[in-house]
Amino acid sequence: MLSEHYTITPDEMTEILSRLEPHLPPYLTKLGPGPFGGLVFEFAPFTGREAEPVRPSTRYDDRLHYVAEDEDEAEHLLREKAARVLDRCFEQAQEDWRDARYVADLRTVAENAPALWTAYTTEVKALETAYEYLRTPEATAEWPSAVSRLIDAQGRAAAAATAFDERAEAIADAHDRHVYADLGHIEALKRAGFADAADWHVTSASCYGRSHYSDWETHTPVAEQTRRLIQQQDNHLAKVRRLSRSN
């Protein structure tokens, strides 16, 4: 059995590449020695919409099919090395393709996420401003109108949160589908063209579409976070109203 760490001499590599030429992918742009005695494979950029790279069979290639060690030790070893090179080439191609596929899918599903996130954060800030205004002396003179504006702001913030969560759920689903890609979530989104993705609040796919969240759950969708914020505001206003009447 060929060791995981093996050496290919320059003459062997010349012969291996000659034999592998019909089986190497057309998008391979470089194959050469890498650090620590390894090999480096470079490919033309994948779009992620191509068919997944698949290693071709060399079973029927007269210069590559299996030869037993006791039949011809040198030829056996050369062909084993050639098989390892071809394996590694397509393993690397698959890794690169999976990353490209991930990025391509995110580019599609994220769509208008930046605009939706901006709308959400804008409405939440407006909601916080409307709520804080109620604590000022000026609000006393127009209390019903100030409370009415708060209620309107609550509705807009809740709607904006729901709209963003719909897009965030699609993004989370894409993360789950591409769990075997090497790219992390934020890096994949950045490569898809979303430079501010690190600011977005996207939780796990299993957290979306639920009707109930436990109080101890902190990494909830923004619609649930907004609901909790509105509930806190409503509870506070109810207490203010109750204590004001008692006095």
Side-chain angles (χ1 to χ4, degrees), residues 18 53 111 145 223 245:
S18 173
E111 292 184 324
S145 296
R245 288 175 178 174

Side-chain angles (χ1 to χ4, degrees), residues 152-207:
D152 290 342
Q154 288 177 338
R156 290 192 299 270
T162 297
F164 177 77
D165 274 349
E166 289 177 357
R167 184 62 55 216
E169 182 175 7
I171 294 170
D173 285 340
H175 290 330
D176 279 3
R177 288 197 308 275
H178 296 280
V179 66
Y180 295 110
D182 290 335
L183 292 177
H185 294 177
I186 300 304
E187 179 60 25
L189 282 163
K190 286 183 177 179
R191 291 194 188 185
F194 304 104
D196 298 327
D199 297 332
W200 303 350
H201 181 82
V202 179
T203 187
S204 61
S206 62
C207 285

